[in-house]
Amino acid sequence: MCPMSTSSRTAIVWFRRDLRLLDNPALHAALKTAASIVPVFVLPNPPHGDLGSASLWWLHGSLAALQTSLAAKGARLILRRGDPAQLLPELAAHTNADSVHAGICPEPAWRAADASVAAALSNAGRTLHLHHSLTLFDPDAIKTRSGGVYGMYTPYANAVRAIDATAPPVPEPDHIPCPQRMPAGDSLAAWKLLPTHPDWAAGLRQTWTPGEAAARARARIFLRGAALHYESGRNLPGHDLTSRLSPHLRWGELSVRALWKALHRHAQNPGEKTFANELIWRDFAAYLLWHHPDLATRPLRPEFENLPWRNDQAGLRAWQQGRTGIPIVDAGMRQLWQTGWMHNRVRMVVASFLVKHLLIDWRAGAAWFMDTLVDADLAANSMNWQWVAGTGIDSQPFFRVFNPVSQGEKFDTDGAYVRRFVPELDHLPDKCLHAPWTAPAQILPQAGVPPGQTYPAPIVDLAAGRERALATWKSTVRVAA
DNA sequence: TTTTGAGTTGTTCGA
DNA sequence: GTCGAACAACTCAAA
């Protein structure tokens, strides 16, 4: 292999979680300064800890889609596996590229990688340029009046709404010129990101289409339909009234800035406002991870390190497998396993159940979500688990314990959601569907679910679990004070 | 500096 | 069935 000589400037576009061509600031900046572009995706080996099995499944589809759309622009995506700090300087030397452009990632592992890559490139007289594109707002630009970091959502949201200076989306290029001779790369298939033995991804294939084109299509459908009733619709897990854009946003197949702009072109009805708030929550999560790099591993309030979590492997396994005996919890966990996704309302219910009723460390739940969700995002996942656990995000009162029975009755009134994912309860009457253990003696055998046989009895008494959680949180706070 | 108002998503109890 | 109050006290952020 000998270094190529080119007469014009070349730039590497390092794709990470901006797997799109529309409104891609790194690509745009590279095209402005260079005559030819080398698109690269580097998979760290081993993959970073936040790349779970479901994420790798999605990544395969998303990279395949990106290869196709780049090819349509005359470019080819170079896939490499290993240490970016070694591979990128090599590729830059090989292609005589003087710069590398990438989107900023808030995860600590990527920030460490960026530092090594920047140093290695700079030793060879080359530059790493990082661009904001994952979030609406630059996390360093949002400060409290006294220059501090926001710790509560509402003041943060007020601050960003007052600024509302998101950069305008940049256009999709018509053509992406590549060097005559491109460096070699791996084949996507050789990475073996898809499961084979066993192939657990059938439900994922049925539910999702990764890639920029599918992301844009879904966004269009959502913005014209469910977004208008999002305020109330988003709470009903039995209906398809959420955006389902989370995995597309996680991989940057969809530009959040373009989505934001599309949303604000419309008159602000309550549904659209609520959805805009969700996008600000997403930004807030990245902001928190940026300023608290140990968000995923340490409670924001240190006193909660002392919370006496139970080491309950059987309970954790029952929760993971959707066999807790609490219908809406099991429905949620099975939806997650089958489709790689769970409705947001139910995520709160299952998380609260694990952390409060079972008194199992939120980090165990967060790890399971990271492995099984197609939208697994370290920032959002860590923030939301800490919110449910009451360990630092905002001021969740410790007495707020979700009751899975009332949540089910309130938001899955007709039981459509539970029946879809816990089919063995199909024949139970609505009245006791969310709490089968309260059914009159004859009902369960008649409905084909004799107690504790096809469907388990509850692994914890809900009232007792709630009391135990209240007492535990109360004493943890009191000891700290 | 001190003060003040407020904090995504809940539950239970009693009138 | 519906409604308001209590749950307890702290931290945040702005004035």
Side-chain angles (χ1 to χ4, degrees):
Chain A
M1 250 198 263
C2 63
M4 300 175 55
S5 61
T6 51
S7 52
S8 49
R9 298 178 72 183
T10 299
I12 290 177
V13 175
W14 180 17
F15 284 92
R16 302 196 292 188
R17 41 181 305 187
D18 291 301
L19 305 186
R20 65 173 182 273
L21 301 186
L22 178 66
D23 189 34
N24 187 322
L27 176 62
H28 187 71
L31 279 165
K32 264 177 139 172
T33 56
S36 57
I37 301 293
V38 181
V40 176
F41 184 90
V42 178
L43 183 65
N45 196 15
H48 291 167
D50 65 315
L51 277 179
S53 317
S55 294
L56 291 174
W57 175 86
W58 189 285
L59 177 62
H60 178 101
S62 197
L63 286 174
L66 184 63
Q67 285 178 322
T68 304
S69 51
L70 279 171
K73 305 287 180 186
R76 187 158 67 81
L77 181 65
I78 306 300
L79 300 176
R80 299 298 291 271
R81 187 164 201 171
D83 179 7
Q86 187 198 328
L87 293 172
L88 286 163
E90 274 176 22
L91 285 165
H94 184 80
T95 58
N96 201 25
D98 57 12
S99 59
V100 175
H101 293 265
I104 291 181
C105 301
E107 296 82 4
W110 279 121
R111 294 175 71 178
D114 290 350
S116 323
V117 169
L121 285 172
S122 133
N123 286 341
R126 309 178 206 275
T127 320
L128 174 65
H129 299 276
L130 293 173
H131 305 267
H132 275 290
S133 62
L134 188 72
T135 55
L136 293 166
F137 304 98
D138 172 357
D140 283 323
I142 311 298
K143 300 256 171 66
T144 65
R145 295 257 167 114
S146 54
V149 173
Y150 286 101
M152 294 168 87
Y153 171 74
T154 301
Y156 172 85
N158 291 338
V160 299
R161 270 191 287 255
I163 297 169
D164 196 14
T166 60
V170 295
E172 176 176 351
D174 295 325
H175 180 68
I176 301 173
C178 279
Q180 295 259 312
R181 287 174 54 204
M182 287 283 276
D186 301 342
S187 86
L188 182 55
W191 280 3
K192 296 189 190 312
L193 301 179
L194 303 178
T196 48
H197 303 295
D199 173 16
W200 43 259
L204 277 65
R205 287 193 294 272
Q206 234 167 53
T207 313
W208 303 103
T209 309
E212 183 174 9
R216 285 200 228 167
R218 207 184 268 278
R220 259 196 313 277
I221 291 167
F222 173 69
L223 290 174
R224 286 179 192 167
L228 307 175
H229 314 284
Y230 187 73
E231 194 186 16
S232 52
R234 67 172 182 145
N235 279 319
L236 308 175
H239 298 79
D240 188 12
L241 297 172
T242 60
S243 76
R244 292 181 177 257
L245 292 173
S246 52
H248 298 295
L249 287 169
R250 188 271 176 245
W251 285 107
E253 297 167 357
L254 191 65
S255 155
V256 71
R257 303 188 308 188
L259 186 58
W260 180 257
K261 203 180 157 210
L263 200 57
H264 282 255
R265 244 187 279 144
H266 300 284
Q268 290 257 307
N269 78 44
E272 289 169 326
K273 268 187 197 162
T274 307
F275 185 68
N277 270 325
E278 294 305 310
L279 294 182
I280 297 176
W281 267 100
R282 176 179 173 278
D283 251 55
F284 186 46
Y287 169 91
L288 285 174
L289 182 60
W290 185 260
H291 292 291
H292 302 282
D294 54 1
L295 185 71
T297 51
R298 307 284 295 275
L300 271 189
R301 292 173 192 242
E303 65 264 32
F304 285 101
E305 285 283 26
N306 303 322
L307 212 136
W309 302 111
R310 289 171 59 246
N311 178 18
D312 177 5
Q313 292 303 312
L316 179 61
R317 220 165 18 249
W319 178 81
Q320 290 170 337
Q321 295 172 350
R323 297 200 52 83
T324 67
I326 315 292
I328 194 143
V329 172
D330 294 338
M333 298 308 294
R334 295 184 197 186
Q335 180 181 37
L336 173 60
W337 184 249
Q338 288 167 28
T339 71
W341 184 86
M342 197 193 310
H343 188 278
N344 180 56
R345 163 66 49 186
V346 189
R347 292 189 198 199
M348 290 188 288
V349 174
V350 303
S352 173
F353 179 77
L354 183 79
V355 166
K356 301 278 171 90
H357 288 97
L358 293 183
L359 214 59
I360 291 175
D361 194 325
W362 60 272
R363 284 161 287 208
W368 182 254
F369 272 28
M370 287 308 297
D371 192 37
T372 52
L373 280 169
V374 290
D375 62 25
D377 172 81
L378 192 69
N381 193 53
S382 309
M383 176 190 73
N384 286 320
W385 275 94
Q386 290 221 39
W387 182 82
V388 171
T391 55
I393 306 303
D394 273 298
S395 57
Q396 204 225 26
F398 68 81
F399 51 77
R400 183 182 291 150
V401 178
F402 284 73
N403 180 331
V405 175
S406 21
Q407 287 282 313
E409 287 167 348
K410 195 166 167 192
F411 298 112
D412 185 36
T413 311
D414 61 1
Y417 181 74
V418 162
R419 288 193 173 92
R420 187 182 316 155
F421 291 104
V422 191
E424 62 264 43
L425 298 180
D426 192 20
H427 297 298
L428 275 184
D430 290 358
K431 202 174 159 71
C432 56
L433 180 67
H434 290 289
W437 59 91
T438 63
Q442 292 311 312
I443 295 279
L444 291 177
Q446 276 171 19
V449 272
Q453 292 187 31
T454 46
Y455 187 71
I459 60 170
V460 64
D461 178 84
L462 290 178
R466 173 185 159 83
E467 288 312 310
R468 181 173 65 183
L470 290 177
T472 306
W473 261 256
K474 193 183 221 169
S475 71
T476 301
V477 171
R478 184 165 298 154
V479 167

